[in-house]
């Protein structure tokens, strides 16, 4: 049966166009119940159970299926995901509304419906002849959808009556909409609110904790006192933004001070780019990363960023007078030029809440069900939740979701989602850091895995089309020990004309991952492989990352090759790109490759190839450095793990060999060659990588620090910086140069991916290259897959597709990749920090030599070369007399009780693990030398530094 929908649409030119859509109605859509004779086998895929043996409901003891409306799916997804809830009918009407309103929840619902054990069935009610409803005159879309859901629920119950009289199955309608529920009951449909139904499942009381608490601002809790001003409705906010009376921006909370935040204003205006907010009332219930509308305050009320560190530790959750007193503390007297544009939040344009990890702060009131939850991220406010399991959740890491923030509540309301495990346990803490850095780490879904090649896999004649056979070449790979995802391999051989042929062969991942399929979408979403201290979160499934794409030795593998003809001075005479088949002759570690190069007795083909590559790499590096490429330093650490417990037993800084540099040089050369090629072919939509030059103010700290050691650092160009760093040597202090390079790294900007058609500054500052991209690691970076696809089209080895030549789509991909790369970096640092804590937990207290990196007003930041560890030594402690501190920002230096500290001074510090705060355990450092009475501590263990340990033991009881 055919229906047609007609609607009018405004065109860009201002005209009106009539659009007619055909809508097919069918009789053969199954109801999803396996024993149904009326439908036969019309439904396919996951289906309902014939006899739902779900938890018995005291409201409806008989066998039943659930049919939720849109709002239940949107707000109670945590309940629906629970294993106890099964046999749910998800209507097409509901699914479409969810899809339009929340992409993350839509994805979660799709995952649940694909899970066979949950027995969720998607019923296409909009195309079923008996359940399709047309919008009536005067009826809005929302009311029409509510009616469509009720019609489907009624149809189901009548349909089941026909099935069999004695086996009376029922469909229960779940809605939180009061009017909709009343209408359903009038029409004879069993209907309950989500809360009523969940509370009736007496065998599963834990489900009640997962209910989202939906008290809107209208029906606030009786406790009366309004703390915050009302949020303006969206229409007023948009009006205000248009007229310029309000500004739209992203709310960024402060880690140091819970009463302060900044809003980054959207748009290109240079003035008022960043607005400061101070005080609870001005923050007005905004949460980190929300999109907000702010009103600028008059200049007389502008403030300066406070230098006070304030953590929200109040136990009495509604003590607002105390907050006001703390807010007065922030108002320090400062000069006029320090004042920044200041504002207040007038409304929320878009909430960007996510599930938060943290710990429960159990209420002191006995038998209380209301408790405060403290998130691990210090930028997120504490959340009030109701739970019956407080005593079991104490000392555990849990996940909580925010439901709302009424005007009369000091904290937002939320609900318990999941218990992750005991605090401090390796698995739990790894899960927390992955969740907190938004690293997608769920196992790959069946939909994704279905696009993998079938095993056993071999190269076919079809695969050989547009491909060169390079299996005869002496190719080898050089990687860190234990590497299984080998992206790249190299070869070097002498040609008959006396020149050298050098090849970089990269895994041909884009051959296996085809544009637009589920595998491609998942790889694009993940963006990068994340390497933690003892775990790897792959971007692509293991079959590809460690097997079919990994260029292991003695197996045929598909590759994308970049081959140069060079003379012996490493000057490129010819460059060509080709898809290829290679067979690597050796998989070496950096140490093994170095040993071959240095060996006097080895002269086989692999070793000769490596020596040729090493010789050319040295020339290439010299040339790069001459152009102004920077050689910076960052203390990278390696943990040696215990093979049984997997705990860190030793901590060392990584040793870099010549072979590390050799591989790096050819990877850089391949990336630059490919960047030029794809930009030649696709000037508007090449995916490139740039590294902006830092603003001069970034270098102040480096220049001042060098000056304090009578050295001059020039920063006008990258070349000037590189040359002055090379000259900044001290014969009496050899480590000084490394310290300067570490400090220079801190001054740098972040390198980012961008689309060539959306930007005109391509320069890569750190590499001193006018153009650059990423081509050499497609197993672990999605950017390289896009670059492979562009290059394949450029050389005629593969066909294009619409998204590849759409610069706006490419810009969106770049935005996600930049975010994922940044988060991966932070997650890796958090993993190193956690393993460092584990190391010092077992090692106990140690004293080590350190160098000062920064001096602050009341502390010094030091680096311990032996462990590559950075930490802060504070000189002002709670409940202790304050020492006399004189801070000089110009030198920079800090004078403590007459002893002077400059950047790069050598000190001795004591390192220990401070477990006084279970949630935020940290490495604590105290000064041992130089000795300052009342400040420095003896090198042996002292009692007061073990105080935190005592407190922890008490907690563990």
């Amino acid at each position: 049966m055919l229906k047609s929908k007609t609607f009018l649409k405004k065109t860009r030119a201002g005209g009106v166009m009539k659009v007619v859509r055909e809508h097919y109605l069918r009789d053969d859509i199954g109801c999803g119940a396996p024993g149904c004779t009326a439908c036969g086998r019309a439904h396919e895929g996951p289906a309902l159970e014939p006899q739902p043996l779900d938890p018995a409901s005291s409201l409806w003891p008989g066998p039943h299926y659930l049919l939720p409306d849109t709002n239940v799916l949107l707000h109670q997804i945590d309940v629906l995901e629970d294993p106890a809830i099964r046999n749910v009918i998800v209507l097409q009407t509901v699914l479409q509304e969810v899809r339009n309103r929340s992409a993350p929840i839509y994805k979660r619902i799709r995952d649940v419906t694909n899970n066979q054990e949950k027995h969720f069935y998607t019923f296409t009610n909009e195309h079923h002849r008996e359940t399709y409803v047309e919008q009536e005159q005067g009826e809005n879309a929302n009311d029409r959808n509510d009616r469509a859901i009720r019609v489907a629920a009624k149809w189901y119950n009548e349909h089941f009556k026909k099935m069999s009289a004695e086996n009376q199955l029922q469909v229960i309608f779940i809605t939180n909409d009061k009017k909709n529920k009343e209408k359903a009951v009038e029409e004879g449909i069993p209907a309950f609110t989500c809360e009523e139904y969940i509370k009736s499942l007496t065998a599963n009381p834990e489900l009640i904790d997962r209910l989202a608490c939906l008290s809107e601002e209208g029906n606030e809790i009786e406790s009366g006192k309004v703390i915050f001003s009302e949020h303006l409705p969206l229409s007023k906010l948009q009006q205000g933004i248009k007229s310029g009376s309000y500004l739209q921006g992203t709310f960024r909370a402060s880690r140091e001070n819970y009463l302060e935040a900044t809003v980054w204003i959207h748009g290109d205006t240079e003035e008022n780019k960043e607005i400061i907010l101070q005080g609870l009332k001005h923050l007005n219930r905004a949460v980190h990363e929300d999109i907000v509308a702010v009103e600028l305050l008059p200049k007389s009320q502008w403030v300066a960023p406070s230098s006070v560190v304030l953590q929200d530790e109040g136990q009495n959750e509604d003590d607002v007078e105390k907050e006001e007193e703390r807010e007065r503390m922030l108002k320090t007297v400062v000069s006029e030029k320090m004042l920044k544009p200041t504002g207040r939040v007038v409304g929320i344009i878009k909430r960007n809440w996510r599930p938060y990890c943290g710990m429960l702060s159990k209420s002191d009131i006995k038998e209380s069900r209301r408790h405060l939850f403290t998130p691990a991220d210090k930028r997120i406010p504490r959340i009030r939740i109701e739970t019956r399991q407080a005593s079991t959740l104490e000392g555990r890491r849990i996940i909580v979701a925010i439901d709302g923030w009424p005007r009369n509540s000091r904290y937002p309301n939320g609900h318990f989602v999941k218990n992750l495990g005991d605090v401090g346990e390796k698995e739990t803490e790894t899960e927390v850091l992955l969740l907190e850095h938004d690293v997608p780490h769920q196992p790959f879904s069946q939909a994704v895995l279905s696009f993998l090649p079938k095993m056993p896999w071999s190269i076919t004649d079809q695969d050989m089309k547009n491909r060169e056979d390079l299996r005869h070449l002496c190719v080898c790979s050089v990687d860190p020990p234990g590497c299984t995802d080998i992206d790249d391999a190299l070869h070097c051989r002498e040609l008959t004309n006396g020149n050298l042929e050098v090849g970089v062969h990269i895994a041909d991942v884009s051959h296996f991952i085809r544009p637009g399929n589920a595998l491609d979408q998942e790889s694009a979403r993940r963006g990068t492989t994340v390497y933690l201290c003892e775990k790897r979160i792959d971007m692509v499934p293991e079959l590809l990352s460690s097997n079919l794409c990994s260029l292991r030795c003695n197996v045929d593998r598909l590759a994308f090759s970049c081959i140069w003809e060079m003379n012996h001075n490493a000057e490129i005479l010819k460059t060509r790109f080709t898809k290829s088949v290679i067979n690597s002759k050796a998989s070496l570690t950096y140490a093994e490759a170095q040993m071959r190069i240095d060996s006097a007795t080895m002269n086989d083909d692999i070793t000769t190839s490596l020596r040729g590559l090493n010789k050319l790499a040295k020339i290439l590096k010299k040339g790069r450095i001459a152009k102004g490429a920077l050689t910076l330093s960052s203390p990278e650490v390696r943990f040696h793990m215990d093979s049984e417990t997997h705990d860190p037993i030793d901590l060392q800084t990584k040793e870099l060999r010549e072979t590390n540099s050799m591989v790096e040089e050819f990877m850089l050369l391949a990336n630059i060659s490919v960047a030029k090629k794809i930009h030649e072919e696709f000037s508007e939509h090449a995916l490139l990588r740039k590294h902006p030059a830092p603003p001069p103010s970034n270098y102040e700290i480096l220049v001042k620090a060098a000056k304090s050691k009578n050295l001059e650092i020039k920063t006008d160009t990258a070349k000037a910086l590189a040359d002055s760093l090379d000259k900044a040597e001290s014969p009496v202090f050899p480590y000084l140069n490394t310290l300067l390079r570490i400090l220079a790294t801190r001054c740098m900007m972040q390198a980012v991916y961008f689309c060539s058609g959306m930007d005109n500054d391509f320069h890569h500052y750190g590499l001193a290259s006018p153009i650059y991209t990423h081509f050499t690691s497609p197993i672990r970076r999605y950017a390289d897959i896009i670059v492979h696809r562009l290059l394949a089209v450029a050389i005629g080895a593969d066909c294009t597709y619409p998204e590849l030549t759409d610069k706006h789509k490419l810009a969106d991909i770049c935005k996600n990749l930049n975010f994922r790369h940044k988060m991966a970096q932070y997650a890796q640092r958090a993993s190193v920090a956690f393993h460092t804590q584990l190391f010092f937990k077992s090692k106990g207290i140690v004293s080590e030599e350190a160098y000062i990196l920064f001096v602050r007003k009341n502390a010094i930041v030091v680096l311990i070369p032996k462990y590559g560890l950075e930490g802060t030594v504070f000189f002002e402690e709670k409940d202790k007399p304050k020492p006399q501190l004189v801070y000089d920002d110009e030198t920079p230096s800090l004078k403590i009780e007459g002893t002077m500290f400059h950047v790069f001074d050598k000190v001795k510090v004591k390192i220990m693990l401070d477990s006084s705060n279970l949630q935020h355990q940290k490495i604590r450092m105290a000064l041992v030398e130089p000795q300052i009475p009342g400040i420095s501590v003896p090198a042996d263990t002292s009692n007061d530094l073990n105080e935190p340990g005592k407190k922890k033991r008490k907690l563990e009881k």
Side-chain angles (χ1 to χ4, degrees):
M1 184 179 163
L2 187 64
K3 290 254 178 191
S4 63
K5 291 180 174 179
T6 309
F7 53 93
L8 300 174
K9 189 178 169 187
K10 206 171 180 184
T11 63
R12 272 188 178 174
V16 173
M17 185 168 73
K18 187 176 183 180
V19 180
V20 179
R21 286 255 171 90
E22 291 180 337
H23 189 82
Y24 290 89
L25 298 182
R26 296 164 50 174
D27 299 319
D28 58 350
I29 297 170
C31 67
C36 179
T37 46
C39 301
R41 307 242 21 92
H43 48 262
E44 285 177 13
L48 303 160
E49 285 181 296
Q51 274 300 312
L53 300 168
D54 288 335
S57 161
S58 55
L59 288 171
W60 202 273
H64 56 269
Y65 300 130
L66 301 179
L67 192 149
D69 74 356
T70 310
N71 281 329
V72 171
L73 250 69
L74 283 169
H75 300 299
Q76 305 293 355
I77 181 72
D78 288 320
V79 171
L80 294 172
E81 283 177 334
D82 194 281
I85 301 293
R86 302 196 333 233
N87 293 300
V88 174
I89 297 161
V90 182
L91 298 180
Q92 181 190 2
T93 311
V94 170
L95 211 50
Q96 283 171 344
E97 274 197 281
V98 169
R99 188 180 192 166
N100 293 336
R101 285 170 61 183
S102 170
I105 289 185
Y106 177 71
K107 187 185 179 302
R108 285 168 74 180
I109 275 295
R110 296 300 303 177
D111 289 346
V112 174
T113 48
N114 288 332
N115 178 351
Q116 306 270 351
E117 291 168 12
K118 291 280 287 172
H119 297 285
F120 272 50
Y121 178 67
T122 310
F123 178 61
T124 329
N125 64 311
E126 294 290 350
H127 288 280
H128 193 291
R129 193 196 290 261
E130 293 177 40
T131 57
Y132 173 70
V133 300
E134 287 198 44
Q135 196 165 344
E136 292 170 355
Q137 214 169 353
E139 185 179 43
N140 66 28
N142 206 20
D143 290 343
R144 180 259 165 212
N145 287 346
D146 284 348
R147 188 162 59 85
I149 296 169
R150 291 197 305 275
V151 165
K154 196 169 185 179
W155 174 85
Y156 256 107
N157 282 331
E158 284 167 5
H159 180 74
F160 286 153
K161 270 179 197 161
K162 295 173 196 165
M163 241 168 85
S164 76
E166 68 281 352
N167 179 11
Q168 203 54 72
L169 271 170
Q170 278 278 6
V171 165
I172 295 179
F173 178 40
I174 305 290
T175 177
N176 286 332
D177 182 329
K178 215 172 173 182
K179 281 181 185 161
N180 204 5
K181 187 188 161 194
E182 283 167 7
K183 282 181 184 170
V185 173
E186 274 169 32
E187 292 168 21
I189 305 164
F192 303 111
T193 67
C194 192
E195 197 170 332
E196 285 168 348
Y197 180 77
I198 294 301
K199 284 184 175 171
S200 78
L201 303 177
T202 45
N204 297 78
E206 75 285 348
L207 277 174
I208 299 170
D209 286 354
R210 301 187 74 166
L211 275 171
C213 126
L214 295 173
S215 56
E216 288 304 315
E217 294 194 7
N219 50 1
E220 283 165 353
I221 315 154
E222 305 74 63
S223 72
K225 192 178 175 189
V226 173
I227 304 170
F228 300 103
S229 55
E230 200 170 345
H231 286 153
L232 298 179
L234 203 53
S235 53
K236 276 195 176 163
L237 296 180
Q238 284 163 340
Q239 238 174 335
I241 289 164
K242 220 171 186 178
S243 68
S245 49
Y246 303 142
L247 295 163
Q248 175 178 327
T250 304
F251 181 88
R252 300 268 167 84
S254 157
R255 280 178 207 277
E256 268 77 47
N257 185 340
Y258 74 101
L259 292 175
E260 186 169 284
T262 50
V263 172
W264 285 78
I265 300 305
H266 301 167
D268 302 323
T269 49
E270 271 313 302
E271 58 161 350
N272 303 340
K273 190 82 186 141
E274 202 184 351
I275 291 176
I276 285 192
L277 314 174
Q278 259 185 18
L280 272 185
K281 290 185 172 62
H282 288 171
L283 301 179
N284 196 5
R285 296 170 288 154
V287 176
H288 184 63
E289 292 294 344
D290 282 349
I291 309 291
V292 297
V294 289
E295 179 182 44
L296 212 55
L297 296 174
K299 277 199 172 173
S300 58
Q301 292 178 39
W302 284 13
V303 297
S306 71
S307 52
V308 188
V309 176
L310 275 184
Q311 299 296 336
D312 181 9
E313 287 163 354
Q315 271 306 313
N316 182 357
E317 48 191 73
D318 292 311
D319 194 350
V320 181
E321 283 75 18
K322 198 172 177 189
E323 306 290 0
E324 285 165 5
E325 187 186 311
R326 290 184 126 188
E327 280 169 29
R328 281 193 288 275
M329 254 173 76
L330 303 181
K331 311 272 188 284
T332 43
V333 180
V334 284
S335 64
E336 192 116 327
K337 67 172 187 188
M338 296 287 282
L339 298 176
K340 292 272 169 71
T342 308
R344 68 183 188 96
V345 171
V346 290
I348 308 289
I349 292 162
K350 182 172 180 272
R351 287 288 194 192
N352 274 327
W353 294 339
R354 59 179 175 84
Y356 300 103
C357 299
M359 292 179 75
L360 200 66
S361 310
K362 201 171 158 217
S363 168
D364 295 336
I365 305 162
K366 225 179 177 183
E367 300 299 314
S368 172
R369 284 185 188 170
R370 299 178 86 183
H371 307 275
L372 276 180
F373 161 83
T374 308
D377 187 339
K378 290 184 177 175
R379 293 168 301 192
I380 306 298
R382 296 161 102 189
I383 302 162
R384 190 194 278 124
I385 67 166
E386 283 196 34
T387 175
R388 293 155 178 73
Q389 324 171 46
S391 46
T392 52
L393 296 178
E394 210 178 2
R396 298 283 180 101
R397 291 273 193 190
I398 62 172
I399 298 180
V400 162
I402 298 181
D403 299 323
W405 196 338
R407 289 174 57 197
N408 60 350
S409 169
R410 168 67 184 83
Y411 296 110
N413 294 327
H415 66 273
F416 166 77
V417 176
K418 191 178 175 188
N419 178 355
L420 293 173
D422 287 338
V423 69
E425 273 189 7
K426 211 177 308 176
E427 287 72 28
T428 307
E429 296 303 330
T430 302
E431 179 76 2
V432 168
L433 74 88
L434 290 171
L435 288 166
E436 282 299 295
H437 293 99
D438 197 6
V439 174
H441 61 288
Q442 314 74 0
F444 290 98
S445 70
Q446 276 312 115
V448 169
L449 299 174
S450 68
F451 286 98
L452 292 174
K454 303 290 171 273
M455 296 302 284
W457 173 85
S458 60
I459 297 169
T460 63
D461 292 344
Q462 185 63 32
D463 294 336
M464 289 306 293
K465 273 191 181 170
N466 303 322
R467 227 176 250 286
E468 261 184 65
D469 191 340
L470 302 179
R471 285 177 280 203
H472 60 283
L473 292 177
C474 184
V475 172
C476 68
S477 61
V478 185
D479 290 283
C483 176
T484 61
D485 51 345
I486 303 169
D487 285 290
D488 52 87
L490 300 153
H491 90 270
C492 174
R493 63 172 180 168
E494 198 157 333
L495 297 171
T496 46
N497 62 6
N499 289 332
L500 296 169
E501 178 188 83
V502 176
V504 164
H505 311 277
I506 304 300
D508 189 3
V509 182
S510 63
H511 173 83
F512 296 97
I513 300 182
R514 302 311 294 164
N517 69 23
L519 176 56
D520 182 45
Q521 286 169 357
E522 182 60 19
S523 308
R525 186 174 80 92
R526 294 184 177 219
T528 177
T529 291
V530 181
Y531 295 89
L532 304 180
C533 288
E534 50 167 332
K535 193 177 184 176
R536 191 178 83 200
I537 314 293
D538 281 328
M539 179 184 84
V540 298
E542 197 178 1
L543 179 68
L544 295 182
S545 67
S546 296
N547 187 349
L548 301 185
C549 291
S550 184
L551 304 181
R552 306 189 305 190
C553 60
N554 303 321
V555 284
D556 292 352
R557 287 289 176 257
L558 302 180
F560 210 147
S561 302
C562 172
I563 298 168
W564 304 278
E565 188 178 323
M566 293 181 176
N567 62 21
H568 287 265
N569 295 328
E571 289 161 346
I572 297 170
L573 310 171
K574 270 189 208 153
T575 306
R576 69 187 183 91
F577 306 99
T578 177
K579 289 237 177 180
S580 61
V581 180
I582 64 163
N583 187 307
S584 170
K585 305 295 178 270
S587 298
L588 306 172
T589 64
Y590 291 116
E592 287 165 352
Q594 191 67 54
M595 198 180 71
R596 278 176 179 260
I597 290 169
D598 298 341
S599 164
T601 54
M602 295 181 87
N603 288 306
D604 57 279
D605 289 352
I606 294 169
T607 308
T608 311
S609 176
L610 286 168
R611 285 187 186 133
L613 289 165
N614 196 34
K615 189 177 140 207
L616 291 169
K618 285 179 181 174
I619 303 169
L620 288 168
K621 186 171 186 177
K622 205 172 167 188
R624 257 187 343 102
I625 287 169
K627 281 186 196 158
L630 298 173
T631 316
L632 299 177
S633 179
S634 63
E636 282 199 72
V637 295
R638 260 198 91 129
F639 293 96
H640 291 259
M641 300 293 183
D642 183 301
S643 56
E644 296 282 314
T645 62
H646 294 285
D647 283 340
I649 45 177
D650 197 9
L651 184 58
Q652 288 178 336
T653 42
K654 284 185 185 170
E655 186 186 343
L656 292 178
R657 296 180 170 82
E658 243 181 35
T659 42
N660 290 71
S661 175
M662 175 187 86
V663 173
E664 186 188 0
E665 283 311 312
F666 287 108
M667 296 307 121
L668 293 175
L669 191 61
N671 286 334
I672 293 167
S673 300
V674 171
K676 286 176 184 165
K677 179 71 178 172
I678 62 171
H679 184 245
E680 256 168 49
E681 287 290 327
F682 307 106
S683 58
E684 284 292 294
H685 43 257
L687 190 151
L688 301 174
R689 188 165 175 80
K690 67 171 180 177
H691 183 212
S697 58
N698 278 28
Y699 284 127
E700 270 178 26
I701 184 109
L702 175 70
V703 174
K704 283 179 184 172
K707 201 174 167 188
S708 71
K709 293 283 177 257
N710 298 321
L711 295 168
E712 189 186 7
I713 297 284
K714 294 198 170 87
T715 61
D716 349 344
T717 62
K719 173 95 180 104
L721 174 65
D723 291 347
S724 52
L725 280 172
D726 287 341
K727 287 181 196 144
E729 295 280 355
S730 163
V732 291
F733 186 3
Y735 196 66
L736 176 65
N737 192 265
T738 309
L739 286 169
L740 281 166
R741 288 181 197 275
I742 288 170
L743 213 49
T745 311
R746 306 293 163 90
C747 304
M748 293 301 146
M749 306 289 282
Q750 187 81 37
V752 289
Y753 295 112
F754 68 103
C755 170
S756 58
M758 309 285 274
D759 208 320
N760 44 23
D761 170 28
F762 293 7
H763 192 75
H764 196 294
Y765 179 81
L767 297 172
S769 175
I771 192 165
Y772 191 66
T773 193
H774 271 164
F775 164 77
T776 56
S777 294
I779 296 177
R780 60 187 180 87
R781 290 189 303 235
Y782 188 75
D784 304 52
I785 292 179
I786 297 284
V787 169
H788 276 227
R789 287 174 183 167
L790 288 164
L791 184 62
V793 175
I795 64 167
D798 206 344
C799 49
T800 184
Y801 59 99
E803 283 78 12
L804 195 64
T805 52
D806 179 336
K807 61 181 184 181
H808 296 286
K809 289 256 168 69
L810 212 54
D812 288 342
I813 289 174
C814 290
K815 190 179 172 188
N816 178 54
L817 291 178
N818 291 329
F819 170 71
R820 292 287 179 216
H821 274 259
K822 189 168 76 178
M823 284 303 156
Q825 256 178 334
Y826 291 161
Q828 284 155 4
R829 282 181 207 161
S831 180
V832 168
F834 173 64
H835 278 77
T836 308
Q837 288 172 14
L838 285 181
F839 172 69
F840 283 107
K841 191 176 183 177
S842 59
K843 182 115 176 137
I845 297 174
V846 293
S847 296
E848 291 295 344
E849 283 183 348
Y851 294 99
I852 299 176
L853 275 185
F854 305 101
V855 290
R856 303 272 188 245
K857 285 180 185 171
N858 60 347
I860 54 172
V861 179
V862 299
L863 174 78
I864 296 153
K866 182 176 173 182
Y867 299 127
L869 180 67
E870 206 176 297
T872 309
V873 180
F874 288 101
F875 296 117
E876 285 182 339
E877 286 195 50
K878 259 190 208 167
D879 315 323
K880 283 196 174 179
K882 285 194 176 179
Q884 192 187 351
L885 302 174
V886 183
Y887 173 69
D888 178 1
D889 185 33
E890 278 311 302
T891 329
S893 66
L894 180 66
K895 197 175 184 181
I896 307 164
E897 299 286 345
T899 305
M900 189 70 94
F901 290 92
H902 292 96
V903 175
F904 302 148
D905 282 0
K906 192 177 186 178
V907 292
K908 195 169 188 182
V909 294
K910 182 181 284 189
I911 315 160
M912 63 233 108
L913 181 67
D914 176 355
S915 307
S916 56
N917 180 337
L918 265 183
Q919 167 120 294
H920 297 111
Q921 295 193 23
K922 55 181 183 281
I923 300 288
R924 222 171 118 200
M925 296 190 182
L927 190 69
V928 175
E929 286 171 17
Q931 289 180 0
I932 304 169
I935 300 286
S936 52
V937 296
D940 60 298
T941 58
S942 73
N943 290 332
D944 59 339
L945 288 170
N946 278 338
E947 264 329 299
K950 284 185 186 172
K951 190 169 175 184
K952 186 188 172 194
R953 277 196 293 279
K954 187 178 168 189
L955 271 166
E956 283 175 347
K957 286 177 192 169

